[in-house]
C-alpha cells in the first residue's frame, strides 16, 4: 500500500474509500489488482510484473467489479464526484464463460511446455488470486498464453515455433509479430524490464500454508479455552450467587446478634436498676426517722431566704430606677451633642465660604494693584517720550505740540489715574465690608491656615511612619508566613489521608485577611462523591460530619502540636455507628503510638465491639443525683456482668 501511495495517490485514495464503504455495493469489488494477486514463486516476481505491464502500467492499478450496478456506482462516486483518475472495469456478460485458448489443454500443460519448448510456466500458472481477477487478466493480456522461463537459452527456437506471440526469458520480454506483405515472415521485438517492485513483497505460499495451519490449531485451542472460560464463568456466577446468599445470611445473623445484644443490655440495665432500687429501699428502711426533727429548722431557713429575697428585690428596684435616670441623662447628652455637632458643621461651612470670599477679594486686589502699577509705568514712559519729542520740533510745530500736550494733560487716557484709584478704593471697601461683617474672619483664617499646615505636616509624618511600619510588617510576615504555610501543609496532608481512610476527602488551608487578627484556619471537606470540597461551617454540614471533621483535624495535629495531654468531650454523640467505629479506631491507633501525649476521650456511651489495644485504659466515672451512698469496688460489678453473660 505504501508503494501504491507513492506511485499513484488517486488509486490509493480510492482503495481507502472502498475499504470504508463496502456496504454500499451489492457484490465484491476487487482492487487494485496489485494487492489482490500473489506470486506463487518469488523467483518469477519480476517476470510476472513485467507481463502485467510493470509498476507504471494500468493493469496492476485496475479495480474489477462483479456486476454492472457496482461498476456504475463506483465510477460515479470515485471518478465523477471525487475526481480521481482510475481504471475500473467490469468483465461484462462474458466474465463467467471459460476461455478458449488456441492450444489444446494437453498442449498448454506445464509438462508439455517444459518438454517441447523448454519453458517452465505460463504467467497464469504463477499467479493466485480471485478467479474473476485472473480471468480478467487472461482476457485482457492473455497471461495464460505467455510462457516464461529462467533457464531457456534458445530464444530463436521459441520465436520460430509459431505457438507464442509473447514469451519471457530471464529479464527479456519477447514479442513476435507476423507480417504478410512481400514474402511474409516474422519480426521479434525484445524489451528489457526492471526487477519487480510492486510484486516483490508477495507472500510465500508454503509459508502462508504453514501459518494458516498454525492459525487453525490456535483457533481450535482458543475455542477450547473459550469453552473452559464459559464453564468457569458459569461456575463463577454460581459462586457469586452463593456468596451473596451467604452474605445475606451473615447480615441476618449480625442483625439477630445486635438485637439479642440490645435486649441483653436492656435486661442487664433493668436488673442493675432493680438492684439499686432494692438497695436504696433497704437503706431507707434502715435509716432512722429524723425528718420531723428537721422540719422546724427548714421552715426557719425558708423564712430567712424569703426575707433576704425581699431585700434583694428592693435593692434591684432602686438600682433599676438609677439606671433609668442615667440612661435618660445619656440620651439628653447625646441629643445635645448631635445639635452641637450640626452647629459646628454649619460654622465650618460658613468659615470655609468666608475664606473663599476673602481669597477671591485678595486676588482681585492684587490684580488691581498690578494693573495700576503697570499703567503708571506706561504713562510715565509716554510722558518722557512726549517731552523728548517736543524738544527738537520747529517753533510752529512746538506750539502745536504744546496744545496737544495740554489737551492730554486735561482729558487724559481712556482710564485716568483717578478712575484707577477709585477702583482700588472700591476693592478696599469690599475688604473692609468683610471685616465689618465678621471682625475675626482674618484671625480665624490665619488660625485655619496654621491648622492646615500643622495637619499636613502630621499627615506626611504619619504617611512616612505608616510606610515604615508596612515595610516592617511585610519583613516580619515574610519570616513567619512560609513556616506557617509549611506547617498547615503538613496538617492538610495528615487530614486528607485520615479522611481518605473513611472514603471522604478534605484539605486544610489558611484564611488570609488584611487584618492579622482575622487570620484563621479554613477546613474544606467532601463527604459524598457528587459534591465538591466545601468550607466546614455550622450550617452547611450535619452534626456528625462536623464531629468527624473536628476529631480528624485534632488527630492531624497529634504529631505537630506538643502538649502534655489532650481531652475530647462527647465527640461521638452526633456520629452514625459506621463513622463512630472508624473514628474510634483512628483515635486509638493515633493516640497509642509510642511518644504520643496522653489522650482523654470523654463520652456518656460507646458502641459494643469497638477496637481496643493494650496501651489504653477504660475509666468509668460514677457521678449523678441517684448514685448510692457507697459504691462497691469495680471488681464486684465486673463479676456480676460476667455472671449475667453466662446466664
Amino acid at each position: 500500500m505504501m508503494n501504491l501511495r507513492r506511485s499513484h495517490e488517486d488509486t490509493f485514495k480510492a482503495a481507502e474509500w472502498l475499504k470504508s464503504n463496502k456496504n454500499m455495493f451489492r457484490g465484491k469489488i476487487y482492487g487494485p489488482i496489485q494487492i489482490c494477486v500473489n506470486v506463487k514463486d518469488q523467483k518469477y516476481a519480476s517476470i510476472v510484473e513485467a507481463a502485467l505491464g510493470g509498476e507504471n502500467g494500468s493493469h496492476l492499478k485496475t479495480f474489477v467489479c462483479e456486476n454492472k450496478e457496482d461498476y456504475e456506482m463506483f465510477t460515479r462516486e470515485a471518478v465523477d464526484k471525487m475526481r480521481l483518475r482510475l481504471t475500473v472495469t467490469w468483465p461484462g456478460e462474458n466474465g463467467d464463460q471459460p476461455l478458449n485458448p488456441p492450444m489444446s489443454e494437453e498442449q498448454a500443460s506445464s509438462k508439455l511446455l517444459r518438454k517441447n519448448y523448454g519453458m517452465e510456466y505460463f504467467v497464469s500458472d504463477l499467479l493466485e488470486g480471485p478467479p474473476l481477477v485472473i480471468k480478467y487478466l487472461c482476457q485482457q493480456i492473455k497471461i495464460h498464453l505467455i510462457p516464461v522461463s529462467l533457464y531457456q537459452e534458445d530464444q530463436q527456437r521459441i520465436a520460430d515455433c509459431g505457438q507464442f506471440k509473447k514469451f519471457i526469458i530471464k529479464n527479456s520480454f519477447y514479442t513476435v509479430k507476423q507480417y504478410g506483405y512481400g514474402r511474409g515472415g516474422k519480426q521479434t521485438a525484445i524489451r528489457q524490464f526492471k526487477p519487480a517492485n510492486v510484486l516483490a513483497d508477495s507472500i510465500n505460499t508454503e509459508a502462508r500454508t504453514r501459518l494458516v495451519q498454525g492459525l487453525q490449531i490456535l483457533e481450535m485451542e482458543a475455542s477450547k479455552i473459550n469453552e473452559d472460560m464459559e464453564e468457569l464463568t458459569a461456575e463463577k456466577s454460581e459462586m457469586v450467587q452463593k456468596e451473596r446468599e451467604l452474605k445475606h445470611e451473615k447480615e441476618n445473623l449480625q442483625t439477630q446478634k445486635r438485637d439479642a445484644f440490645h435486649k441483653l443490655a436492656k435486661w442487664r440495665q433493668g436488673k442493675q436498676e432493680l438492684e439499686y432500687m432494692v438497695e436504696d429501699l433497704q437503706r431507707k428502711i434502715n435509716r432512722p426517722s429524723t425528718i420531723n426533727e428537721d422540719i422546724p429548722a427548714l421552715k426557719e431557713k425558708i423564712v430567712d431566704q424569703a426575707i433576704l429575697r425581699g431585700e434583694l428585690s428592693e435593692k434591684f428596684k432602686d438600682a433599676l430606677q438609677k439606671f433609668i435616670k442615667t440612661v435618660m441623662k445619656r440620651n439628653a447628652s447625646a441629643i445635645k451633642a448631635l445639635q452641637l455637632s450640626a452647629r459646628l458643621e454649619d460654622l465650618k461651612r460658613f468659615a470655609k465660604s468666608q475664606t473663599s470670599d476673602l481669597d477671591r477679594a485678595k486676588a482681585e486686589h492684587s490684580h488691581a494693584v498690578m494693573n495700576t502699577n503697570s499703567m503708571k509705568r506706561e504713562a510715565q514712559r509716554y510722558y518722557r517720550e512726549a517731552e523728548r519729542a517736543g524738544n527738537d520740533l520747529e517753533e510752529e510745530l512746538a506750539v502745536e505740540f504744546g496744545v496737544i500736550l495740554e489737551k492730554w494733560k486735561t482729558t487724559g487716557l481712556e482710564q485716568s489715574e483717578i478712575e484707577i484709584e477709585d477702583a482700588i478704593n472700591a476693592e478696599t471697601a469690599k475688604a473692609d465690608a468683610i471685616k465689618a461683617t465678621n471682625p475675626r474672619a482674618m484671625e480665624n483664617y490665619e488660625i485655619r491656615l496654621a491648622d492646615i499646615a500643622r495637619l499636613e505636616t502630621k499627615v506626611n509624618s504619619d504617611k512616612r511612619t505608616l510606610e515604615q511600619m508596612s515595610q516592617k510588617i511585610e519583613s516580619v510576615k515574610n519570616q513567619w508566613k512560609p513556616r506557617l504555610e509549611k506547617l498547615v501543609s503538613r496538617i492538610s496532608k495528615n487530614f486528607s489521608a485520615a479522611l481518605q481512610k473513611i472514603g471522604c476527602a478534605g484539605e486544610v488551608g489558611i484564611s488570609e485577611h488584611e487584618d492579622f487578627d482575622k487570620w484563621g484556619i479554613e477546613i474544606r471537606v467532601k463527604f459524598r462523591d457528587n459534591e465538591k470540597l466545601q468550607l466546614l461551617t455550622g450550617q452547611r454540614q450535619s452534626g456528625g460530619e462536623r464531629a468527624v471533621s473536628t476529631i480528624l483535624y485534632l488527630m492531624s495535629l497529634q504529631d505537630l502540636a506538643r502538649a502534655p495531654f489532650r481531652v475530647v468531650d462527647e465527640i461521638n454523640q452526633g456520629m452514625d455507628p459506621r463513622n463512630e467505629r472508624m473514628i474510634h479506631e483512628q483515635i486509638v491507633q493515633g493516640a497509642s503510638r509510642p511518644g504520643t501525649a496522653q489522650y482523654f476521650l470523654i463520652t456518656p456511651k460507646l458502641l459494643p465491639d469497638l477496637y481496643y489495644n493494650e496501651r489504653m485504659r477504660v475509666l468509668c466515672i460514677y457521678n449523678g443525683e441517684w448514685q448510692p451512698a457507697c459504691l462497691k469496688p469495680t471488681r464486684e460489678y465486673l463479676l456480676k456482668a460476667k455472671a449475667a453473660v453466662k446466664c
Side-chain angles (χ1 to χ4, degrees):
M1 290 296 288
M2 296 305 297
N3 290 333
L4 179 63
R5 187 172 189 176
R6 288 193 298 268
S7 62
H8 202 275
E9 187 174 358
D10 286 1
T11 305
F12 174 78
K13 291 180 179 178
E16 292 294 318
W17 180 87
L18 179 61
K19 188 186 302 182
S20 304
N21 298 275
K22 289 182 179 180
N23 57 348
M24 293 176 58
F25 304 98
R26 193 178 67 181
K28 288 186 177 181
I29 298 179
Y30 303 97
I33 290 178
Q34 70 180 57
I35 64 174
C36 296
V37 298
N38 183 56
V39 180
K40 297 178 181 179
D41 191 343
Q42 278 295 301
K43 294 185 296 184
Y44 295 90
S46 299
I47 292 176
V48 174
E49 185 174 310
L52 298 181
E55 65 173 317
N56 296 322
S58 62
H59 294 297
L60 289 174
K61 301 179 180 63
T62 300
F63 292 86
V64 183
C65 304
E66 283 187 342
N67 54 67
K68 184 178 180 181
E69 291 81 0
D70 292 345
Y71 167 76
E72 291 176 349
M73 181 180 290
F74 184 60
T75 53
R76 183 168 57 251
E77 295 292 333
V79 178
D80 297 340
K81 294 183 179 180
M82 298 174 64
R83 302 292 183 183
L84 300 177
R85 294 181 291 108
L86 304 175
T87 303
V88 186
T89 184
W90 166 54
E93 298 178 355
N94 298 324
D96 296 333
Q97 296 180 1
L99 298 175
N100 296 317
M103 295 187 297
S104 63
E105 292 183 4
E106 185 179 357
Q107 290 176 333
S109 66
S110 298
K111 291 182 180 180
L112 292 177
L113 189 65
R114 292 191 186 94
K115 180 179 178 182
N116 297 335
Y117 304 105
M119 306 293 282
E120 289 92 40
Y121 302 101
F122 287 102
V123 174
S124 58
D125 298 333
L126 295 169
L127 275 178
E128 61 180 0
L132 184 63
V133 175
I134 301 298
K135 192 157 290 190
Y136 163 75
L137 294 174
C138 291
Q139 287 179 347
Q140 293 296 316
I141 54 178
K142 312 299 182 187
I143 60 172
H144 62 298
L145 301 178
I146 302 176
V148 298
S149 175
L150 292 174
Y151 311 104
Q152 175 62 263
E153 299 292 342
D154 192 358
Q155 297 90 346
Q156 190 62 40
R157 185 170 71 86
I158 303 301
D160 293 340
C161 73
Q163 293 293 328
F164 311 109
K165 293 182 179 180
K166 296 179 180 179
F167 60 91
I168 301 174
I169 298 176
K170 295 182 180 179
N171 60 345
S172 299
F173 196 115
Y174 295 85
T175 304
V176 180
K177 294 182 179 181
Q178 186 78 29
Y179 59 91
Y181 57 87
R183 285 191 261 177
K186 296 183 179 65
Q187 181 180 2
T188 304
I190 304 173
R191 176 172 58 84
Q192 303 292 325
F193 53 83
K194 298 179 181 179
N197 185 27
V198 176
L199 301 179
D201 298 330
S202 296
I203 301 173
N204 189 324
T205 305
E206 296 179 359
R208 187 181 67 174
T209 302
R210 289 194 300 272
L211 291 174
V212 169
Q213 292 176 353
L215 180 61
Q216 292 175 351
I217 294 172
L218 292 175
E219 288 177 350
M220 293 174 62
E221 293 179 355
S223 177
K224 187 175 182 304
I225 291 172
N226 288 334
E227 293 177 358
D228 295 340
M229 285 292 293
E230 291 177 357
E231 294 177 359
L232 292 174
T233 303
E235 186 177 352
K236 178 184 176 183
S237 300
E238 294 177 359
M239 297 298 291
V240 169
Q241 182 63 27
K242 189 174 181 181
E243 181 187 4
R244 290 176 181 170
E245 294 175 357
L246 292 175
K247 187 176 181 180
H248 183 67
E249 184 178 356
K250 178 184 176 182
E251 290 176 353
N252 291 335
L253 292 174
Q254 288 179 343
T255 303
Q256 295 176 6
K257 178 183 176 182
R258 284 195 296 270
D259 294 340
F261 185 83
H262 291 323
K263 291 179 180 179
L264 178 61
K266 191 174 182 180
W267 178 81
R268 289 176 181 172
Q269 184 178 0
K271 183 180 178 182
Q272 188 176 10
E273 290 177 356
L274 179 61
E275 291 178 354
Y276 288 157
M277 293 174 68
V278 169
E279 291 178 359
D280 187 52
L281 178 61
Q282 187 64 36
R283 192 166 49 252
K284 288 181 179 179
I285 293 173
N286 297 331
R287 188 174 61 183
S289 178
T290 58
I291 297 176
N292 294 329
E293 297 177 359
D294 297 336
I295 290 176
L298 291 174
K299 287 183 178 180
E300 291 179 0
K301 191 174 182 180
I302 291 172
V303 172
D304 294 339
Q305 292 294 327
I307 295 171
L308 179 61
R309 185 174 180 179
E311 293 175 354
L312 292 175
S313 299
E314 289 293 331
K315 290 181 180 180
F316 175 74
K317 184 184 71 173
D318 296 338
L320 185 60
Q321 290 175 352
K322 290 180 180 179
F323 174 74
I324 293 172
K325 291 179 181 179
T326 305
V327 170
M328 295 301 295
K329 289 181 180 180
R330 184 202 65 183
N331 294 339
S333 300
I335 294 172
K336 188 174 181 181
L338 290 174
Q339 293 175 348
L340 293 175
S341 177
R343 186 176 178 184
L344 177 62
E345 292 296 328
D346 292 338
L347 291 174
K348 286 182 178 180
R349 286 193 295 271
F350 177 74
K352 187 175 181 181
S353 63
Q354 293 297 316
T355 302
S356 301
D357 293 341
L358 180 61
D359 292 340
R360 186 167 56 255
K362 283 185 177 181
E364 291 176 357
H365 177 265
S366 177
H367 183 67
V369 170
M370 291 175 61
N371 289 338
T372 301
N373 294 332
S374 176
M375 288 180 177
K376 283 182 178 180
R377 288 193 297 272
E378 187 175 3
Q380 290 176 359
R381 181 170 60 81
Y382 288 153
Y383 182 77
R384 288 193 298 271
E385 290 180 356
E387 285 183 346
R388 286 196 303 273
N391 294 332
D392 298 333
L393 294 176
E394 296 179 359
E395 185 176 354
E396 295 178 357
L397 294 176
V399 173
E400 187 177 353
F401 177 75
V403 174
I404 294 172
L405 184 61
E406 290 296 331
K407 185 178 180 180
W408 176 77
K409 288 181 179 179
T410 304
T411 59
L413 299 175
E414 293 180 359
Q415 188 177 15
S416 63
E417 183 178 359
I418 297 172
E419 292 174 349
I420 293 173
E421 292 293 338
D422 291 340
I424 293 172
N425 293 331
E427 295 300 329
T428 304
K430 288 181 181 180
D432 293 339
I434 294 173
K435 290 181 179 179
T437 304
N438 188 4
R440 300 189 63 186
M442 287 301 297
E443 183 179 354
N444 292 334
Y445 173 73
E446 297 295 337
I447 293 172
R448 295 291 185 275
L449 287 180
D451 291 341
I452 291 171
R454 179 176 53 78
L455 291 174
E456 287 180 350
T457 304
K458 187 175 184 304
V459 168
N460 293 330
S461 176
D462 291 343
K463 284 184 178 179
R464 289 192 296 272
T465 305
L466 179 62
E467 291 177 356
Q468 294 175 358
M469 293 299 294
S470 299
Q471 293 175 358
K472 188 175 180 180
I473 289 172
E474 193 65 26
S475 175
V476 175
K477 179 180 176 182
N478 292 333
Q479 294 177 9
W480 57 262
K481 184 180 178 183
R483 298 170 59 188
L484 177 61
E485 291 175 343
K486 184 177 180 181
L487 179 61
V488 173
S489 176
R490 292 175 60 187
I491 296 173
S492 179
K493 183 178 179 181
N494 295 339
F495 183 71
S496 300
L499 277 174
Q500 287 177 359
K501 291 180 181 179
I502 63 173
C504 304
E507 64 180 13
V508 180
I510 303 173
S511 174
E512 299 185 11
H513 195 273
E514 293 181 359
D515 187 358
F516 288 95
D517 290 339
K518 297 181 181 179
W519 278 47
I521 292 294
E522 287 184 348
I523 301 176
R524 298 183 181 275
V525 292
K526 183 180 75 169
F527 288 93
R528 282 163 285 277
D529 294 336
N530 57 353
E531 291 181 347
K532 296 182 179 179
L533 289 175
Q534 296 180 343
L535 186 65
L536 182 66
T537 63
Q539 295 79 27
R540 184 176 289 119
Q541 289 81 14
S542 64
E545 292 172 348
R546 294 197 299 272
V548 170
S549 304
T550 302
I551 190 61
L552 291 181
Y553 174 74
L554 294 177
M555 295 299 297
S556 302
L557 300 175
Q558 188 78 9
D559 299 330
L560 302 177
R562 298 297 179 184
F565 63 89
R566 290 179 172 83
V567 180
V568 178
D569 185 20
E570 297 186 2
I571 193 66
N572 60 329
Q573 291 305 294
M575 298 182 188
D576 57 79
R578 174 180 174 272
N579 285 334
E580 184 174 351
R581 290 184 184 277
M582 290 188 294
I583 296 302
H584 184 271
E585 182 175 352
Q586 290 202 35
I587 291 175
V588 172
Q589 291 178 350
S592 59
R593 291 198 302 266
T596 307
Q598 193 173 11
Y599 204 100
F600 292 92
L601 174 61
I602 302 173
T603 178
K605 61 93 179 177
L606 285 174
L607 293 173
D609 300 330
L610 291 175
Y611 174 80
Y612 298 96
N613 61 25
E614 297 178 354
R615 294 181 58 86
M616 62 184 296
R617 179 178 298 176
V618 179
L619 302 176
C620 298
I621 300 175
Y622 297 94
N623 186 20
E625 185 177 357
W626 303 104
Q627 291 295 322
C630 181
L631 288 173
K632 298 179 181 180
T634 308
R635 180 171 53 83
E636 294 190 14
Y637 295 102
L638 294 177
L639 291 175
K640 286 185 178 181
K642 291 180 180 179
V645 171
K646 291 180 181 180
C647 293

